[in-house]
Amino acid sequence: MKIICIGRNYVDHAKELNNEVPKQPVFFMKPDSAILKGNKPFFLPDFSNQIEYEVELVVKINRLGKNIGKKFAHRYYNEIGLGIDFTARDLQHECKSKGLPWELAKTFDQSAVLSPFIPKEEFDDLNNIEFSLQKNGEQVQHAISNEMIFGIDELIAYVSQFVTLKIGDMIFTGTPAGVGRVDIGDRLTGFIAERKMFDFEVR
Ligand code: ZN
């Protein structure tokens, strides 16, 4: 199982990090050892002074596929969840400034928070999924899926040109604006519409 993450998929987030709005999706991966689920606490690692949350819709792949056409992409996933792509922003900036890959900043243990998944039939409109994140009870990120630069089907088509998608793989679809740091004692609560998807503490 692999976790594919999309970077810079919302215009307002690309701008807040002073990145160009991409013409093609940007992706990277996290290992399965990064998964944190079941509302277990996130333990702040000591190798970074700036761990930031990024709330993202997560798509779960349910069919093997390579070179998937955009119009067939909807057949390759059947569940949607919510996740956090924890990022060591200080290490990411350091890697970027040296022209190095960002692995250090993205792949560490517990950096892929996952909620339970919802069957996609339960959504009226996949282009209109509202999701948000609260930090200590205050909303810090909010978006609707149609604000993505590249939609879910486009992402599946693009990524599967390079990487075969397998059953159980997950795609983190990118974060909207509002990313920010977490500190010990913070509580992060994620929602899809009104539905609470995860709720955990930073320790
Ligand atoms: Zn992200």
Side-chain angles (χ1 to χ4, degrees):
M1 191 275 296
K2 55 188 172 291
I3 302 168
I4 293 157
C5 301
I6 308 298
R8 307 175 190 173
N9 202 23
Y10 289 82
V11 172
D12 52 359
H13 171 64
K15 284 184 178 156
E16 78 180 342
L17 292 186
N18 293 316
N19 289 317
E20 275 176 41
V21 175
K23 295 191 178 62
Q24 286 178 318
V26 174
F27 77 90
F28 55 92
M29 294 204 236
K30 287 181 189 274
D32 58 4
S33 47
I35 291 174
L36 176 65
K37 54 187 182 182
N39 288 330
K40 291 199 193 92
F42 171 77
F43 290 95
L44 212 57
D46 51 17
F47 50 73
S48 169
N49 293 314
Q50 194 186 359
I51 299 288
E52 294 194 348
Y53 54 78
E54 297 188 355
V55 73
E56 315 197 359
L57 287 175
V58 182
V59 171
K60 197 189 266 185
I61 298 296
N62 69 332
R63 268 177 78 173
L64 181 81
K66 186 174 171 58
N67 280 319
I68 300 164
K70 188 182 161 193
K71 67 175 176 183
F72 301 112
H74 65 98
R75 298 184 189 168
Y76 287 80
Y77 67 100
N78 62 349
E79 290 180 302
I80 292 186
L82 195 68
I84 290 185
D85 163 20
F86 272 124
T87 303
R89 196 71 69 199
D90 48 354
L91 299 184
Q92 188 187 33
H93 286 149
E94 210 179 305
C95 292
K96 277 177 164 179
S97 71
K98 291 180 185 163
L100 295 171
W102 317 333
E103 249 78 3
L104 275 182
K106 291 286 196 179
T107 54
F108 55 89
D109 288 356
Q110 301 195 315
S111 65
V113 176
L114 281 173
S115 75
F117 282 78
I118 301 173
K120 70 179 182 190
E121 298 76 39
E122 288 186 28
F123 297 95
D124 296 332
D125 180 0
L126 293 177
N127 291 313
N128 198 23
I129 302 173
E130 189 192 354
F131 63 101
S132 61
L133 180 71
Q134 291 182 359
K135 183 172 111 171
N136 304 325
E138 231 172 88
Q139 185 173 287
V140 286
Q141 290 191 277
H142 173 269
I144 296 170
S145 54
N146 69 8
E147 293 165 12
M148 291 182 196
I149 299 170
F150 305 102
I152 294 171
D153 292 355
E154 231 171 326
L155 294 173
I156 288 174
Y158 182 79
V159 170
S160 70
Q161 289 179 280
F162 304 96
V163 180
T164 297
L165 296 178
K166 293 186 172 180
I167 296 170
D169 287 352
M170 286 177 268
I171 303 179
F172 277 61
T173 57
T175 196
V179 302
R181 95 181 245 134
V182 289
D183 292 288
I184 290 171
D186 284 344
R187 181 171 206 98
L188 294 176
T189 314
F191 296 85
I192 290 184
E194 307 292 297
R195 190 159 165 175
K196 193 187 279 188
M197 299 299 291
F198 58 70
D199 186 16
F200 66 94
E201 262 179 33
V202 178
R203 286 191 193 159

